[in-house]
């Protein structure tokens, strides 16, 4: 404020006038402020730097920046960071009142938020065994999001909730995809070969009981069993053979292509 005093001296006809005082309020100067950014498109994991332009008295007051009610970004000092690339972002600049100029705030500057790309994704489980299920797994990616699997080819494979089942030995091809969530794009692996190996059957054949000469071999001696495969055995000598002296029995199994062969298990009588 400013106070003014009015005085008038007297003369030969008048005495000195009584002083009159008046006060005046001096208003602060008005000004405007605008906000800008090094980039109006910001990707998750990177930042942008904010700045402002003041129409007058840029050093007369303190400048600050705010993300207001934004749901996808935050501001610290002059640095803008992405907190949720699926959210919104609008920033403003403000300057406080100073000695000569009043406070001012800018209009909002809209910032476009962009999801980041994930690191490469690899299917890490690439083999299994006929007749067994396999829990698939991956390495890589960035989001720790859910992973889904798709069967690209392979009639002997099937998928359910990340578990691979098979109906035979051979190859199938699988693609894995990791969800990106709020901050990352989805990422997929290449179509990866998964090999189903032949299973190893478990064969059991107890030592046959001794038999007398000239007694024919029968299922009493030829009684090997196998688990995990359909089929039977071919014995040498065959069932019904008359025995003389000491004989060596051997068998070979008739098996499917999904099982490894085990030949020439022998038992002496």
């Amino acid at each position: 404020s400013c106070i003014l005093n009015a005085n008038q001296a007297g003369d030969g006809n008048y005495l000195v006038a009584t002083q009159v005082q008046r006060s005046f309020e001096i208003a602060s100067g008005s000004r405007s402020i605008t906000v800008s950014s090094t980039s109006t498109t910001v990707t998750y994991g990177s930042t942008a730097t904010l700045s402002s332009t003041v129409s007058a008295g840029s050093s007369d007051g303190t400048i600050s920046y705010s993300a207001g009610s934004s749901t996808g970004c935050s501001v610290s000092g002059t640095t803008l960071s992405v907190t949720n690339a699926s959210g919104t972002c609008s920033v403003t600049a403000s300057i406080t009142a100073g000695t000569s100029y009043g406070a001012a705030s800018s209009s909002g500057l809209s910032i476009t938020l962009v999801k980041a790309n994930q690191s490469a994704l690899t299917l890490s489980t690439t083999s299994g065994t006929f007749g067994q299920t396999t829990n698939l797994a991956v390495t890589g990616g960035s989001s720790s999001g859910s992973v889904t699997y798709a069967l690209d080819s392979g009639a002997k494979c099937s998928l359910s909730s990340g578990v691979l089942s098979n109906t035979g030995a051979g190859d199938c091809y699988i693609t894995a995809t990791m969800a990106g969530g709020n901050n990352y794009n989805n990422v997929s692996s290449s179509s990866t070969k998964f090999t189903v190996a032949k299973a190893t059957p478990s064969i059991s054949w107890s030592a046959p009981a001794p038999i007398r000469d000239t007694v024919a071999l029968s299922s009493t001696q030829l009684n090997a069993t196998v688990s995990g495969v359909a089929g039977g055995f071919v014995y040498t000598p065959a069932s019904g053979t008359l025995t003389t002296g000491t004989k060596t029995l051997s068998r070979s199994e008739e098996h499917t292509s999904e099982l490894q062969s085990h030949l020439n298990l022998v038992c002496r009588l």
Side-chain angles (χ1 to χ4, degrees):
S1 62
C2 177
I3 298 176
L4 297 178
N5 295 321
N7 298 286
Q8 185 179 39
D11 57 15
N13 297 313
Y14 293 93
L15 298 173
V16 174
T18 302
Q19 183 184 73
V20 177
Q21 188 177 77
R22 294 289 184 269
S23 63
F24 298 88
E25 294 294 329
I26 301 176
S28 297
S30 61
R31 56 184 171 180
S32 62
I33 184 172
T34 57
V35 62
S36 58
S37 172
T38 52
S39 177
T40 55
T41 300
V42 186
T43 301
Y44 178 75
S46 61
T47 60
T49 300
L50 302 176
S51 59
S52 60
T53 301
V54 182
S55 62
S58 59
S59 60
D60 187 18
T62 301
I63 296 174
S64 60
Y65 301 91
S66 172
S69 59
S70 299
T71 60
C73 64
S74 63
V75 173
S76 177
T78 60
T79 301
L80 181 146
S81 302
V82 181
T83 57
N84 179 0
S86 300
T88 61
C89 184
S90 179
V91 294
T92 58
S94 299
I95 186 169
T96 59
T99 303
S100 302
Y101 293 91
S105 295
S106 72
S107 56
L109 174 65
S110 180
I111 304 293
T112 300
L113 306 179
V114 179
K115 293 183 178 183
N117 291 326
Q118 299 192 58
S119 60
L121 189 70
T122 301
L123 181 68
S124 57
T125 311
T126 57
S127 63
T129 303
F130 167 66
Q132 299 178 7
T133 59
T134 304
N135 293 314
L136 299 178
V138 296
T139 58
S142 306
S143 69
S144 299
S146 60
V147 178
T148 56
Y149 302 90
L151 182 63
D152 302 323
S153 63
K156 294 183 178 181
C157 296
S158 61
L159 287 171
S160 177
S161 301
V163 178
L164 183 141
S165 303
N166 63 77
T167 58
D171 295 332
C172 53
Y173 286 82
I174 299 167
T175 297
T177 299
M178 179 179 285
N182 290 333
N183 293 316
Y184 291 96
N185 295 312
N186 295 349
V187 62
S188 294
S189 70
S190 60
S191 185
T192 304
K193 182 170 73 172
F194 184 98
T195 299
V196 180
K198 292 181 179 181
T200 301
S202 176
I203 299 168
S204 176
W205 192 12
S206 300
I211 60 175
R212 301 175 65 87
D213 283 352
T214 71
V215 175
L217 292 172
S218 68
S219 60
T220 302
Q221 294 78 36
L222 310 181
N223 60 352
T225 59
V226 62
S227 62
V229 59
F233 296 97
V234 176
Y235 295 93
T236 304
S239 178
T241 302
L242 296 177
T243 60
T244 58
T246 300
K247 297 292 184 182
T248 299
L249 290 179
S250 67
R251 67 91 190 95
S252 62
E253 69 271 27
E254 298 173 336
H255 55 80
T256 65
S257 62
E258 283 72 32
L259 293 162
Q260 300 176 14
S261 61
H262 288 260
L263 301 177
N264 300 323
L265 177 64
V266 297
C267 180
R268 286 189 175 274
L269 293 179

